[in-house]
Amino acid sequence: MSTQTDIKKVTLLDLKKFKSAGEKIASLTAYDAGFATVLDNAGMDFILVGDSLGMVVQGRETTIPVTTDEIIYHTKMVVRGTQRAMVMADMPFMSYSSADDCLNNAARLMKEGGAEIVKLEWGALEIPMVSRLTECGIPVCAHLGLTPQAIHKFGAYRVQGREDDTAKKMIDDAQALEQAGADVLLLECVPMQLAAEITRNAAVPVIGIGAGPDVDGQILVLYDILDIWPGKRTRFSKNYMANAGSIQNAVESYVAEVKEARFPTAEYSFE
Ligand code: KIV
């Protein structure tokens, strides 16, 4: 279990200490104050206001239509419901396609929304964006592997990095992003051995979603663990609601399983 329950407010320094101490980092998405309070009370280390809200809250097919204004609206609510957890906000599709847009939109997420770190999805253009945000003192999480904003390029939600060349590219990209200043890396739908290698090589915390157990922390979409997503649940996400009795219990079980390295097992990971 966490040795850091006395922390008043989780910061990047704490996430780095967790990595050095081998303590797993627990995270979920949330989009409003009520759920953020439940997550915060359960001891979540950080909460992501993900653009997944486009799918689970707005009922859209993809995350692509989500706007910066919408992320700001939801981030404000999450911040109001949070005391301990660090709050991360997603930069939506095309909100970081030029250096100026990237800086302005990241600044809005922090100044108007109250986010403490922003996340962007990795693509060929993002190294200069990460450097620019870093120069301006904006903490950044870089999301690699399956990046849902590029779903129409991928053609399907599939595991990434299974071939030797794509695995090598992901290892190189992760190093380049860290050198550019990324403070956290997030790997989505990546074979567990590859995620383990990226985590061993990284000085910054590596968070996984469908990336196996050998990363520094885990994140899932809240609605998936509460079984309220009407579609087909992703293979890597677990239903914590089944025997929980309450949402608070379900979220606390998730935090405990992550902290005690009981989630994810092979059943929720990819080879
Ligand atoms: O938007 C989101 O919820 C995410 C997670 C899947 C990591 O990016």
PDB file of all heavy atoms in Angstrom, residues 29 43 46 49 59 68 82 94 126-127 135 164 203 225 240 247-248 251 255-256 261 266:
ATOM      1  N   THR A  29      -9.356   8.471 -15.002  1.00  0.00           N
ATOM      2  CA  THR A  29      -9.929   9.696 -15.573  1.00  0.00           C
ATOM      3  C   THR A  29     -11.115  10.127 -14.710  1.00  0.00           C
ATOM      4  O   THR A  29     -11.729   9.312 -14.007  1.00  0.00           O
ATOM      5  CB  THR A  29     -10.459   9.471 -17.001  1.00  0.00           C
ATOM      6  OG1 THR A  29     -11.538   8.535 -16.953  1.00  0.00           O
ATOM      7  CG2 THR A  29      -9.366   8.963 -17.931  1.00  0.00           C
ATOM      8  N   GLY A  43      -7.477   8.071  -2.644  1.00  0.00           N
ATOM      9  CA  GLY A  43      -6.008   8.126  -2.650  1.00  0.00           C
ATOM     10  C   GLY A  43      -5.399   8.100  -4.041  1.00  0.00           C
ATOM     11  O   GLY A  43      -4.238   7.692  -4.199  1.00  0.00           O
ATOM     12  N   PHE A  46      -2.989  10.847  -9.454  1.00  0.00           N
ATOM     13  CA  PHE A  46      -3.399  11.935 -10.350  1.00  0.00           C
ATOM     14  C   PHE A  46      -4.672  11.558 -11.076  1.00  0.00           C
ATOM     15  O   PHE A  46      -5.011  10.383 -11.217  1.00  0.00           O
ATOM     16  CB  PHE A  46      -2.268  12.382 -11.297  1.00  0.00           C
ATOM     17  CG  PHE A  46      -1.953  11.470 -12.464  1.00  0.00           C
ATOM     18  CD1 PHE A  46      -2.603  11.599 -13.684  1.00  0.00           C
ATOM     19  CD2 PHE A  46      -0.963  10.509 -12.351  1.00  0.00           C
ATOM     20  CE1 PHE A  46      -2.295  10.784 -14.762  1.00  0.00           C
ATOM     21  CE2 PHE A  46      -0.644   9.679 -13.417  1.00  0.00           C
ATOM     22  CZ  PHE A  46      -1.311   9.824 -14.633  1.00  0.00           C
ATOM     23  N   VAL A  49      -8.258  14.551 -16.841  1.00  0.00           N
ATOM     24  CA  VAL A  49      -9.458  15.001 -17.544  1.00  0.00           C
ATOM     25  C   VAL A  49      -9.191  14.677 -19.011  1.00  0.00           C
ATOM     26  O   VAL A  49      -8.597  15.463 -19.756  1.00  0.00           O
ATOM     27  CB  VAL A  49      -9.706  16.508 -17.326  1.00  0.00           C
ATOM     28  CG1 VAL A  49     -11.038  16.918 -17.956  1.00  0.00           C
ATOM     29  CG2 VAL A  49      -9.677  16.842 -15.845  1.00  0.00           C
ATOM     30  N   GLY A  59     -21.008  10.880 -25.688  1.00  0.00           N
ATOM     31  CA  GLY A  59     -21.589   9.836 -26.535  1.00  0.00           C
ATOM     32  C   GLY A  59     -21.134   9.876 -27.986  1.00  0.00           C
ATOM     33  O   GLY A  59     -21.824   9.385 -28.882  1.00  0.00           O
ATOM     34  N   THR A  68     -10.968  22.505 -26.807  1.00  0.00           N
ATOM     35  CA  THR A  68     -10.229  23.001 -25.639  1.00  0.00           C
ATOM     36  C   THR A  68     -11.201  23.603 -24.621  1.00  0.00           C
ATOM     37  O   THR A  68     -11.048  23.414 -23.410  1.00  0.00           O
ATOM     38  CB  THR A  68      -9.183  24.045 -26.086  1.00  0.00           C
ATOM     39  OG1 THR A  68      -8.302  23.410 -27.012  1.00  0.00           O
ATOM     40  CG2 THR A  68      -8.372  24.575 -24.918  1.00  0.00           C
ATOM     41  N   THR A  82     -11.112  18.192  -6.055  1.00  0.00           N
ATOM     42  CA  THR A  82      -9.832  17.526  -5.773  1.00  0.00           C
ATOM     43  C   THR A  82      -9.008  18.310  -4.758  1.00  0.00           C
ATOM     44  O   THR A  82      -8.877  19.525  -4.889  1.00  0.00           O
ATOM     45  CB  THR A  82      -9.017  17.420  -7.089  1.00  0.00           C
ATOM     46  OG1 THR A  82      -9.832  16.784  -8.055  1.00  0.00           O
ATOM     47  CG2 THR A  82      -7.751  16.618  -6.907  1.00  0.00           C
ATOM     48  N   MET A  94      -5.776  18.569 -32.637  1.00  0.00           N
ATOM     49  CA  MET A  94      -5.464  19.807 -33.375  1.00  0.00           C
ATOM     50  C   MET A  94      -5.352  21.046 -32.487  1.00  0.00           C
ATOM     51  O   MET A  94      -5.283  22.154 -33.007  1.00  0.00           O
ATOM     52  CB  MET A  94      -6.491  20.063 -34.499  1.00  0.00           C
ATOM     53  CG  MET A  94      -6.440  19.053 -35.612  1.00  0.00           C
ATOM     54  SD  MET A  94      -4.825  18.875 -36.376  1.00  0.00           S
ATOM     55  CE  MET A  94      -4.834  20.267 -37.486  1.00  0.00           C
ATOM     56  N   GLU A 126       5.546  16.526 -32.404  1.00  0.00           N
ATOM     57  CA  GLU A 126       5.422  16.909 -31.001  1.00  0.00           C
ATOM     58  C   GLU A 126       6.719  17.209 -30.252  1.00  0.00           C
ATOM     59  O   GLU A 126       6.680  17.840 -29.212  1.00  0.00           O
ATOM     60  CB  GLU A 126       4.595  15.878 -30.231  1.00  0.00           C
ATOM     61  CG  GLU A 126       3.116  16.198 -30.272  1.00  0.00           C
ATOM     62  CD  GLU A 126       2.507  15.968 -31.641  1.00  0.00           C
ATOM     63  OE1 GLU A 126       2.640  14.848 -32.137  1.00  0.00           O
ATOM     64  OE2 GLU A 126       1.930  16.909 -32.203  1.00  0.00           O
ATOM     65  N   ILE A 127       7.886  16.784 -30.771  1.00  0.00           N
ATOM     66  CA  ILE A 127       9.134  17.069 -30.035  1.00  0.00           C
ATOM     67  C   ILE A 127       9.309  18.583 -29.825  1.00  0.00           C
ATOM     68  O   ILE A 127       9.514  19.023 -28.688  1.00  0.00           O
ATOM     69  CB  ILE A 127      10.361  16.462 -30.756  1.00  0.00           C
ATOM     70  CG1 ILE A 127      10.271  14.945 -30.727  1.00  0.00           C
ATOM     71  CG2 ILE A 127      11.670  16.972 -30.156  1.00  0.00           C
ATOM     72  CD1 ILE A 127      10.779  14.275 -29.499  1.00  0.00           C
ATOM     73  N   GLU A 135      10.172  24.850 -21.968  1.00  0.00           N
ATOM     74  CA  GLU A 135      10.852  26.153 -21.824  1.00  0.00           C
ATOM     75  C   GLU A 135       9.964  27.151 -21.072  1.00  0.00           C
ATOM     76  O   GLU A 135      10.454  28.037 -20.386  1.00  0.00           O
ATOM     77  CB  GLU A 135      11.147  26.758 -23.200  1.00  0.00           C
ATOM     78  CG  GLU A 135      12.357  26.161 -23.905  1.00  0.00           C
ATOM     79  CD  GLU A 135      12.309  26.439 -25.421  1.00  0.00           C
ATOM     80  OE1 GLU A 135      11.463  27.257 -25.877  1.00  0.00           O
ATOM     81  OE2 GLU A 135      13.097  25.812 -26.129  1.00  0.00           O
ATOM     82  N   ASP A 164       9.321  -5.437 -34.872  1.00  0.00           N
ATOM     83  CA  ASP A 164      10.633  -4.950 -34.398  1.00  0.00           C
ATOM     84  C   ASP A 164      10.823  -3.471 -34.705  1.00  0.00           C
ATOM     85  O   ASP A 164      11.309  -2.708 -33.873  1.00  0.00           O
ATOM     86  CB  ASP A 164      11.769  -5.738 -35.069  1.00  0.00           C
ATOM     87  CG  ASP A 164      11.841  -7.149 -34.517  1.00  0.00           C
ATOM     88  OD1 ASP A 164      11.167  -7.418 -33.499  1.00  0.00           O
ATOM     89  OD2 ASP A 164      12.572  -7.964 -35.114  1.00  0.00           O
ATOM     90  N   ALA A 203      13.892   7.930 -17.071  1.00  0.00           N
ATOM     91  CA  ALA A 203      14.100   8.523 -15.738  1.00  0.00           C
ATOM     92  C   ALA A 203      12.784   9.078 -15.212  1.00  0.00           C
ATOM     93  O   ALA A 203      12.620   9.288 -14.012  1.00  0.00           O
ATOM     94  CB  ALA A 203      15.144   9.618 -15.823  1.00  0.00           C
ATOM     95  N   ILE A 225     -14.154   1.158 -15.517  1.00  0.00           N
ATOM     96  CA  ILE A 225     -14.032   0.343 -14.284  1.00  0.00           C
ATOM     97  C   ILE A 225     -15.359   0.296 -13.536  1.00  0.00           C
ATOM     98  O   ILE A 225     -15.584  -0.584 -12.731  1.00  0.00           O
ATOM     99  CB  ILE A 225     -12.872   0.795 -13.353  1.00  0.00           C
ATOM    100  CG1 ILE A 225     -13.220   2.049 -12.553  1.00  0.00           C
ATOM    101  CG2 ILE A 225     -11.550   0.949 -14.078  1.00  0.00           C
ATOM    102  CD1 ILE A 225     -12.494   2.105 -11.220  1.00  0.00           C
ATOM    103  N   TYR A 240     -14.543  -3.077 -11.792  1.00  0.00           N
ATOM    104  CA  TYR A 240     -14.382  -3.096 -10.327  1.00  0.00           C
ATOM    105  C   TYR A 240     -15.715  -2.941  -9.614  1.00  0.00           C
ATOM    106  O   TYR A 240     -15.781  -2.950  -8.389  1.00  0.00           O
ATOM    107  CB  TYR A 240     -13.419  -1.985  -9.877  1.00  0.00           C
ATOM    108  CG  TYR A 240     -11.963  -2.364 -10.087  1.00  0.00           C
ATOM    109  CD1 TYR A 240     -11.331  -2.094 -11.291  1.00  0.00           C
ATOM    110  CD2 TYR A 240     -11.239  -3.023  -9.098  1.00  0.00           C
ATOM    111  CE1 TYR A 240     -10.007  -2.449 -11.493  1.00  0.00           C
ATOM    112  CE2 TYR A 240      -9.920  -3.396  -9.292  1.00  0.00           C
ATOM    113  CZ  TYR A 240      -9.312  -3.107 -10.491  1.00  0.00           C
ATOM    114  OH  TYR A 240      -8.009  -3.474 -10.692  1.00  0.00           O
ATOM    115  N   ILE A 247     -19.632   2.895  -5.459  1.00  0.00           N
ATOM    116  CA  ILE A 247     -18.608   3.438  -6.361  1.00  0.00           C
ATOM    117  C   ILE A 247     -17.325   3.703  -5.573  1.00  0.00           C
ATOM    118  O   ILE A 247     -16.221   3.416  -6.044  1.00  0.00           O
ATOM    119  CB  ILE A 247     -19.157   4.706  -7.051  1.00  0.00           C
ATOM    120  CG1 ILE A 247     -20.234   4.289  -8.053  1.00  0.00           C
ATOM    121  CG2 ILE A 247     -18.038   5.489  -7.739  1.00  0.00           C
ATOM    122  CD1 ILE A 247     -20.961   5.445  -8.711  1.00  0.00           C
ATOM    123  N   GLN A 248     -17.469   4.229  -4.341  1.00  0.00           N
ATOM    124  CA  GLN A 248     -16.273   4.506  -3.526  1.00  0.00           C
ATOM    125  C   GLN A 248     -15.471   3.219  -3.302  1.00  0.00           C
ATOM    126  O   GLN A 248     -14.247   3.197  -3.460  1.00  0.00           O
ATOM    127  CB  GLN A 248     -16.697   5.126  -2.185  1.00  0.00           C
ATOM    128  CG  GLN A 248     -15.533   5.635  -1.337  1.00  0.00           C
ATOM    129  CD  GLN A 248     -14.836   6.868  -1.937  1.00  0.00           C
ATOM    130  OE1 GLN A 248     -15.481   7.849  -2.239  1.00  0.00           O
ATOM    131  NE2 GLN A 248     -13.517   6.783  -2.125  1.00  0.00           N
ATOM    132  N   VAL A 251     -13.612   2.147  -6.532  1.00  0.00           N
ATOM    133  CA  VAL A 251     -12.426   2.965  -6.829  1.00  0.00           C
ATOM    134  C   VAL A 251     -11.307   2.638  -5.830  1.00  0.00           C
ATOM    135  O   VAL A 251     -10.132   2.536  -6.204  1.00  0.00           O
ATOM    136  CB  VAL A 251     -12.803   4.466  -6.825  1.00  0.00           C
ATOM    137  CG1 VAL A 251     -11.568   5.331  -6.946  1.00  0.00           C
ATOM    138  CG2 VAL A 251     -13.781   4.778  -7.962  1.00  0.00           C
ATOM    139  N   VAL A 255      -7.437   1.315  -6.603  1.00  0.00           N
ATOM    140  CA  VAL A 255      -6.202   1.936  -6.070  1.00  0.00           C
ATOM    141  C   VAL A 255      -5.374   0.884  -5.336  1.00  0.00           C
ATOM    142  O   VAL A 255      -4.164   0.763  -5.540  1.00  0.00           O
ATOM    143  CB  VAL A 255      -6.533   3.131  -5.134  1.00  0.00           C
ATOM    144  CG1 VAL A 255      -5.269   3.653  -4.451  1.00  0.00           C
ATOM    145  CG2 VAL A 255      -7.202   4.257  -5.915  1.00  0.00           C
ATOM    146  N   ALA A 256      -6.040   0.068  -4.508  1.00  0.00           N
ATOM    147  CA  ALA A 256      -5.315  -0.958  -3.740  1.00  0.00           C
ATOM    148  C   ALA A 256      -4.650  -1.955  -4.675  1.00  0.00           C
ATOM    149  O   ALA A 256      -3.481  -2.314  -4.497  1.00  0.00           O
ATOM    150  CB  ALA A 256      -6.275  -1.661  -2.787  1.00  0.00           C
ATOM    151  N   ALA A 261       0.386  -3.900  -6.833  1.00  0.00           N
ATOM    152  CA  ALA A 261       0.823  -4.569  -8.072  1.00  0.00           C
ATOM    153  C   ALA A 261      -0.001  -5.832  -8.351  1.00  0.00           C
ATOM    154  O   ALA A 261       0.515  -6.819  -8.868  1.00  0.00           O
ATOM    155  CB  ALA A 261       2.315  -4.866  -8.023  1.00  0.00           C
ATOM    156  N   ALA A 266      -1.963 -10.837 -16.341  1.00  0.00           N
ATOM    157  CA  ALA A 266      -1.785 -11.168 -17.763  1.00  0.00           C
ATOM    158  C   ALA A 266      -3.099 -11.034 -18.539  1.00  0.00           C
ATOM    159  O   ALA A 266      -3.108 -10.638 -19.710  1.00  0.00           O
ATOM    160  CB  ALA A 266      -1.235 -12.575 -17.889  1.00  0.00           C
TER     161      ALA A 266
END
